[in-house]
Short mmCIF file of all heavy atoms in Angstrom, two decimals:
data_model
loop_
_atom_site.label_atom_id
_atom_site.label_comp_id
_atom_site.label_asym_id
_atom_site.label_seq_id
_atom_site.Cartn_x
_atom_site.Cartn_y
_atom_site.Cartn_z
N LEU A 1 -2.90 -2.24 -11.75
CA LEU A 1 -1.52 -2.43 -12.17
C LEU A 1 -0.75 -3.26 -11.14
O LEU A 1 -0.94 -3.06 -9.93
CB LEU A 1 -0.82 -1.08 -12.32
CG LEU A 1 -0.95 -0.33 -13.62
CD1 LEU A 1 -0.33 1.06 -13.49
CD2 LEU A 1 -0.26 -1.09 -14.74
N PRO A 2 0.12 -4.17 -11.54
CA PRO A 2 0.95 -4.89 -10.59
C PRO A 2 1.70 -3.90 -9.71
O PRO A 2 2.27 -2.95 -10.19
CB PRO A 2 1.88 -5.71 -11.48
CG PRO A 2 1.13 -5.89 -12.76
CD PRO A 2 0.36 -4.62 -12.94
N ARG A 3 1.70 -4.18 -8.45
CA ARG A 3 2.42 -3.42 -7.41
C ARG A 3 1.82 -2.01 -7.17
O ARG A 3 2.40 -1.24 -6.41
CB ARG A 3 3.92 -3.29 -7.74
CG ARG A 3 4.61 -4.64 -7.79
CD ARG A 3 6.13 -4.52 -8.00
NE ARG A 3 6.78 -5.82 -7.87
CZ ARG A 3 6.98 -6.68 -8.86
NH1 ARG A 3 6.57 -6.36 -10.10
NH2 ARG A 3 7.56 -7.84 -8.67
N HIS A 4 0.67 -1.72 -7.77
CA HIS A 4 0.02 -0.43 -7.49
C HIS A 4 -0.35 -0.36 -6.00
O HIS A 4 -0.11 0.69 -5.37
CB HIS A 4 -1.24 -0.28 -8.34
CG HIS A 4 -1.92 1.03 -8.21
ND1 HIS A 4 -2.70 1.37 -7.12
CD2 HIS A 4 -1.96 2.13 -9.03
CE1 HIS A 4 -3.17 2.58 -7.25
NE2 HIS A 4 -2.76 3.07 -8.40
N ALA A 5 -0.90 -1.41 -5.46
CA ALA A 5 -1.30 -1.42 -4.06
C ALA A 5 -0.10 -1.26 -3.15
O ALA A 5 -0.16 -0.56 -2.13
CB ALA A 5 -2.07 -2.67 -3.71
N ALA A 6 1.03 -1.87 -3.50
CA ALA A 6 2.25 -1.76 -2.65
C ALA A 6 2.78 -0.31 -2.66
O ALA A 6 3.19 0.20 -1.62
CB ALA A 6 3.31 -2.71 -3.19
N VAL A 7 2.74 0.30 -3.83
CA VAL A 7 3.18 1.72 -3.90
C VAL A 7 2.26 2.62 -3.09
O VAL A 7 2.73 3.47 -2.34
CB VAL A 7 3.24 2.17 -5.38
CG1 VAL A 7 3.45 3.70 -5.48
CG2 VAL A 7 4.37 1.44 -6.12
N ALA A 8 0.94 2.43 -3.25
CA ALA A 8 -0.02 3.23 -2.49
C ALA A 8 0.18 2.99 -1.00
O ALA A 8 0.10 3.95 -0.20
CB ALA A 8 -1.42 2.85 -2.91
N ALA A 9 0.42 1.76 -0.58
CA ALA A 9 0.64 1.46 0.83
C ALA A 9 1.85 2.22 1.36
O ALA A 9 1.80 2.83 2.45
CB ALA A 9 0.82 -0.03 1.04
N TYR A 10 2.95 2.18 0.62
CA TYR A 10 4.18 2.87 1.05
C TYR A 10 3.96 4.38 1.22
O TYR A 10 4.35 4.99 2.20
CB TYR A 10 5.27 2.60 0.06
CG TYR A 10 6.54 3.39 0.30
CD1 TYR A 10 7.40 3.06 1.35
CD2 TYR A 10 6.86 4.46 -0.52
CE1 TYR A 10 8.56 3.77 1.60
CE2 TYR A 10 8.03 5.21 -0.27
CZ TYR A 10 8.86 4.86 0.75
OH TYR A 10 10.02 5.59 0.99
N LEU A 11 3.28 4.96 0.23
CA LEU A 11 3.04 6.41 0.30
C LEU A 11 2.06 6.79 1.40
O LEU A 11 2.24 7.80 2.10
CB LEU A 11 2.51 6.89 -1.07
CG LEU A 11 3.54 6.82 -2.22
CD1 LEU A 11 2.85 7.11 -3.55
CD2 LEU A 11 4.68 7.77 -1.99
N HIS A 12 1.03 5.96 1.63
CA HIS A 12 0.12 6.24 2.75
C HIS A 12 0.84 6.09 4.08
O HIS A 12 0.58 6.86 5.00
CB HIS A 12 -1.08 5.28 2.67
CG HIS A 12 -2.18 5.73 1.75
ND1 HIS A 12 -2.95 6.85 2.04
CD2 HIS A 12 -2.60 5.24 0.57
CE1 HIS A 12 -3.83 7.00 1.05
NE2 HIS A 12 -3.64 6.06 0.17
N GLU A 13 1.73 5.13 4.19
CA GLU A 13 2.49 4.97 5.43
C GLU A 13 3.36 6.22 5.68
O GLU A 13 3.40 6.75 6.80
CB GLU A 13 3.39 3.75 5.40
CG GLU A 13 4.20 3.58 6.69
CD GLU A 13 5.14 2.40 6.65
OE1 GLU A 13 5.16 1.66 5.64
OE2 GLU A 13 5.91 2.22 7.62
N ARG A 14 4.01 6.68 4.66
CA ARG A 14 4.85 7.88 4.81
C ARG A 14 4.01 9.12 5.15
O ARG A 14 4.47 10.04 5.81
CB ARG A 14 5.63 8.15 3.55
CG ARG A 14 6.77 7.17 3.30
CD ARG A 14 7.78 7.74 2.34
NE ARG A 14 8.32 8.98 2.81
CZ ARG A 14 8.63 10.04 2.05
NH1 ARG A 14 8.40 10.01 0.75
NH2 ARG A 14 9.09 11.15 2.57
N ASP A 15 2.74 9.08 4.72
CA ASP A 15 1.85 10.21 5.01
C ASP A 15 1.20 10.08 6.39
O ASP A 15 0.39 10.94 6.79
CB ASP A 15 0.77 10.30 3.93
CG ASP A 15 0.00 11.62 3.94
OD1 ASP A 15 0.65 12.66 4.18
OD2 ASP A 15 -1.23 11.58 3.73
N GLY A 16 1.45 8.95 7.10
CA GLY A 16 0.95 8.78 8.44
C GLY A 16 -0.38 8.05 8.55
O GLY A 16 -0.87 7.85 9.67
N ASP A 17 -0.93 7.61 7.42
CA ASP A 17 -2.23 6.87 7.47
C ASP A 17 -1.92 5.38 7.56
O ASP A 17 -1.94 4.65 6.58
CB ASP A 17 -3.01 7.18 6.16
CG ASP A 17 -4.41 6.58 6.20
OD1 ASP A 17 -4.72 5.80 7.14
OD2 ASP A 17 -5.20 6.89 5.29
N LEU A 18 -1.64 4.91 8.79
CA LEU A 18 -1.22 3.54 8.99
C LEU A 18 -2.30 2.52 8.72
O LEU A 18 -2.01 1.42 8.25
CB LEU A 18 -0.70 3.37 10.42
CG LEU A 18 0.45 4.29 10.82
CD1 LEU A 18 1.02 3.88 12.18
CD2 LEU A 18 1.57 4.31 9.77
N ALA A 19 -3.54 2.86 9.01
CA ALA A 19 -4.63 1.89 8.81
C ALA A 19 -4.79 1.60 7.32
O ALA A 19 -4.90 0.43 6.89
CB ALA A 19 -5.94 2.44 9.36
N THR A 20 -4.82 2.64 6.49
CA THR A 20 -4.94 2.43 5.04
C THR A 20 -3.70 1.72 4.49
O THR A 20 -3.81 0.82 3.65
CB THR A 20 -5.10 3.80 4.32
OG1 THR A 20 -6.29 4.41 4.78
CG2 THR A 20 -5.19 3.60 2.81
N ALA A 21 -2.53 2.10 5.00
CA ALA A 21 -1.32 1.47 4.51
C ALA A 21 -1.30 -0.03 4.85
O ALA A 21 -0.93 -0.86 4.00
CB ALA A 21 -0.11 2.14 5.17
N ALA A 22 -1.71 -0.40 6.04
CA ALA A 22 -1.73 -1.81 6.45
C ALA A 22 -2.68 -2.59 5.56
O ALA A 22 -2.36 -3.70 5.10
CB ALA A 22 -2.11 -1.95 7.90
N ARG A 23 -3.86 -2.03 5.30
CA ARG A 23 -4.81 -2.68 4.43
C ARG A 23 -4.26 -2.91 3.01
O ARG A 23 -4.41 -3.98 2.42
CB ARG A 23 -6.12 -1.89 4.39
CG ARG A 23 -7.15 -2.48 3.44
CD ARG A 23 -8.43 -1.63 3.41
NE ARG A 23 -8.20 -0.26 3.05
CZ ARG A 23 -8.04 0.19 1.79
NH1 ARG A 23 -8.07 -0.69 0.78
NH2 ARG A 23 -7.83 1.47 1.55
N LEU A 24 -3.63 -1.89 2.52
CA LEU A 24 -3.07 -1.97 1.16
C LEU A 24 -1.87 -2.92 1.08
O LEU A 24 -1.70 -3.62 0.07
CB LEU A 24 -2.67 -0.58 0.67
CG LEU A 24 -3.82 0.35 0.32
CD1 LEU A 24 -3.36 1.78 0.12
CD2 LEU A 24 -4.59 -0.13 -0.92
N TYR A 25 -1.07 -2.97 2.12
CA TYR A 25 0.04 -3.94 2.14
C TYR A 25 -0.50 -5.36 2.10
O TYR A 25 0.01 -6.22 1.35
CB TYR A 25 0.92 -3.75 3.36
CG TYR A 25 1.98 -2.71 3.26
CD1 TYR A 25 2.16 -1.75 4.25
CD2 TYR A 25 2.89 -2.70 2.17
CE1 TYR A 25 3.16 -0.79 4.16
CE2 TYR A 25 3.86 -1.74 2.09
CZ TYR A 25 4.00 -0.79 3.06
OH TYR A 25 5.00 0.16 2.98
N ALA A 26 -1.56 -5.59 2.83
CA ALA A 26 -2.17 -6.96 2.83
C ALA A 26 -2.76 -7.28 1.47
O ALA A 26 -2.63 -8.41 0.97
CB ALA A 26 -3.25 -7.02 3.92
N GLU A 27 -3.38 -6.28 0.85
CA GLU A 27 -3.95 -6.48 -0.48
C GLU A 27 -2.83 -6.75 -1.53
O GLU A 27 -2.97 -7.63 -2.36
CB GLU A 27 -4.72 -5.23 -0.91
CG GLU A 27 -5.32 -5.26 -2.29
CD GLU A 27 -6.00 -3.95 -2.65
OE1 GLU A 27 -6.62 -3.36 -1.75
OE2 GLU A 27 -5.92 -3.52 -3.82
N ALA A 28 -1.74 -6.00 -1.38
CA ALA A 28 -0.62 -6.18 -2.32
C ALA A 28 0.00 -7.56 -2.13
O ALA A 28 0.45 -8.20 -3.11
CB ALA A 28 0.39 -5.09 -2.08
N ALA A 29 0.05 -8.06 -0.88
CA ALA A 29 0.63 -9.37 -0.63
C ALA A 29 -0.14 -10.47 -1.37
O ALA A 29 0.44 -11.43 -1.90
CB ALA A 29 0.66 -9.66 0.86
N GLN A 30 -1.46 -10.34 -1.44
CA GLN A 30 -2.28 -11.32 -2.12
C GLN A 30 -2.01 -11.37 -3.64
O GLN A 30 -2.19 -12.39 -4.28
CB GLN A 30 -3.76 -11.06 -1.89
CG GLN A 30 -4.17 -11.22 -0.42
CD GLN A 30 -5.65 -10.85 -0.19
OE1 GLN A 30 -6.29 -10.28 -1.08
NE2 GLN A 30 -6.18 -11.19 0.97
N LYS A 31 -1.55 -10.25 -4.20
CA LYS A 31 -1.28 -10.17 -5.61
C LYS A 31 0.19 -10.31 -5.98
O LYS A 31 0.54 -10.19 -7.15
CB LYS A 31 -1.78 -8.80 -6.14
CG LYS A 31 -3.26 -8.52 -5.89
CD LYS A 31 -3.63 -7.13 -6.37
CE LYS A 31 -5.05 -6.79 -6.13
NZ LYS A 31 -5.40 -5.41 -6.54
N ALA A 32 1.04 -10.55 -5.02
CA ALA A 32 2.50 -10.58 -5.25
C ALA A 32 2.84 -11.68 -6.23
O ALA A 32 2.31 -12.77 -6.17
CB ALA A 32 3.23 -10.79 -3.93
#
């Protein structure tokens, strides 16, 4: 889904998993 990776990144960041969040933000950027 569009922006699925961005939403997952935001929630992982809030949960403290910065490595997963950073990876997902980068993935979301490629699909923006």
Side-chain angles (χ1 to χ4, degrees):
L1 275 173
R3 298 186 173 90
H4 184 285
V7 169
Y10 173 73
L11 292 171
H12 276 292
E13 180 183 357
R14 287 200 58 218
D15 195 40
D17 187 351
L18 302 189
T20 300
R23 175 180 58 79
L24 288 169
Y25 276 131
E27 178 184 323
Q30 295 177 348
K31 302 176 181 178

